[in-house]
Amino acid sequence: MVAHAQQAAPPFATTKVDGTDNVYVFRYGNHQAMFVVTSAGVIATDPIGYGRPQAVTTYVDEIKKVSTQPIKYLIYSHHHFDHIAGGKPFKDAGATVVAHRRAQERLAVLKDPHTVLADETMDGARTITLGDTTLELTYVGLNHSDSSIVMRLPKQKVIFAVEFIPVGSVPGRGMIDSYPLEWEESLKRVLAMDWDRVIPGHPGPGGRLGTKQDVQNLLTFLQDASAAVKAEAQAGKCWDAVEKELKLPKYESWPGYAQNLPYVLRRYCALWGRGT
Ligand SMILES: [Zn+2]
């Protein structure tokens, strides 16, 4: 037991992105968010406080360790509570909360007691300029959600994209409410943007960041899974036969393959075998 505890990853970590002097990743458990220190304040993203308000106070404390600048913005990557619940300490610190219009519409209906509504919304694109730093927010279409924003730092060539680009691993439970056909198109839009590294919303294998090759690999995976299920679905094999028997051996070595493949197959059965 003791040996196990010693090997476990620390509950949280703050890491500066290599090759930058102001871009950080804050990880708490298996979630992470980007924050950027500018000459005129800090731009934070996703409070990642679902069911654990201490993650958010830790996040704010970690920012204060690397900057005395005020926190000016809190930007939501998309509307899912596991990434955006718990933002009140940021709001209390004076941050302006920004989200995609569709995220705000959902939050306004659901009134989750732990999730702060946005102060400002964006739709297609918005550029935030703070001090010496430019951050571009771009909606690239439906994918993992209907409110996912790509956050791009053009000077650093770094993007922050949450859950619709799972780095080097098979997407899982979150397939349930995704938009699989449009997702492929959104990945092509991301590939066409100018960037070198992607910070994912869940740590990649070994904690690494992603590359355009990871995005291309994911796109190929989704296309392969879609084509395989399409053939089975049109032969009348959805749901059970596909979920129990269909395999994609090319991807066996990807983390999450065994556990997550049924979620992927179920989503594509809904598409090709049900029409949704
Ligand atoms: Zn999500």
Side-chain angles (χ1 to χ4, degrees):
M1 290 301 285
V2 171
H4 241 103
Q6 284 171 347
Q7 286 164 7
F12 66 89
T14 300
T15 314
K16 186 153 74 173
V17 174
D18 286 344
T20 75
D21 56 9
N22 65 339
V23 183
Y24 294 83
V25 177
F26 171 71
R27 177 189 64 77
Y28 197 100
N30 190 41
H31 289 71
Q32 58 189 18
M34 174 180 80
F35 69 91
V36 188
V37 176
T38 83
S39 59
V42 176
I43 304 171
T45 67
D46 292 0
I48 56 175
Y50 180 74
R52 49 180 200 192
Q54 74 278 12
V56 189
T57 48
T58 302
Y59 187 174
V60 171
D61 289 345
E62 288 288 286
I63 290 173
K64 286 179 181 163
K65 283 184 193 169
V66 297
S67 175
T68 56
Q69 296 280 354
I71 302 170
K72 292 286 197 180
Y73 288 99
L74 176 69
I75 304 170
Y76 292 162
S77 63
H78 67 307
H79 70 270
H80 290 153
F81 294 142
D82 62 321
H83 292 269
I84 66 165
K88 191 163 182 301
F90 284 94
K91 182 92 177 149
D92 291 345
T96 298
V97 183
V98 180
H100 187 265
R101 174 184 54 79
R102 185 68 187 125
Q104 180 82 334
E105 289 169 359
R106 290 180 176 279
L107 297 179
V109 171
L110 296 174
K111 296 184 171 62
D112 178 60
H114 307 292
T115 306
V116 176
L117 283 175
D119 300 301
E120 298 176 3
T121 62
M122 53 82 63
D123 214 326
R126 174 174 172 180
T127 298
I128 290 179
T129 304
L130 187 62
D132 54 358
T133 297
T134 298
L135 178 66
E136 295 174 0
L137 314 180
T138 307
Y139 176 69
V140 290
L142 301 167
N143 43 50
H144 164 84
S145 79
D146 62 359
S147 61
S148 303
I149 296 173
V150 174
M151 305 186 206
R152 189 176 81 96
L153 291 158
K155 188 174 138 223
Q156 295 85 350
K157 294 200 175 187
V158 168
I159 64 172
F160 177 50
V162 172
E163 290 201 299
F164 76 97
I165 304 176
V167 168
S169 59
V170 174
R173 199 178 279 124
M175 291 299 295
I176 189 170
D177 57 349
S178 65
Y179 303 82
L181 291 179
E182 296 88 344
W183 191 345
E184 294 178 16
E185 297 310 306
S186 84
L187 292 177
K188 291 173 189 170
R189 290 187 194 108
V190 172
L191 284 169
M193 298 168 83
D194 184 20
W195 58 274
D196 295 327
R197 287 174 293 172
V198 54
I199 300 169
H202 300 280
R208 73 175 176 88
L209 305 186
T211 63
K212 284 199 170 177
Q213 187 62 54
D214 289 304
V215 178
Q216 181 58 59
N217 292 348
L218 174 68
L219 176 58
T220 304
F221 168 81
L222 294 176
Q223 290 168 332
D224 286 351
S226 184
V229 177
K230 180 181 182 181
E232 297 295 314
Q234 293 178 351
K237 300 290 176 56
C238 283
W239 313 75
D240 286 352
V242 166
E243 280 188 46
K244 291 193 178 107
E245 292 160 26
L246 187 63
K247 304 293 175 207
L248 298 171
K250 182 178 161 189
Y251 301 98
E252 269 172 0
S253 65
W254 283 25
Y257 173 83
Q259 186 186 349
N260 291 345
L261 188 62
Y263 295 112
V264 175
L265 300 178
R266 182 171 297 186
R267 182 67 195 89
Y268 283 111
C269 262
L271 176 64
W272 296 115
R274 182 176 166 88
T276 304

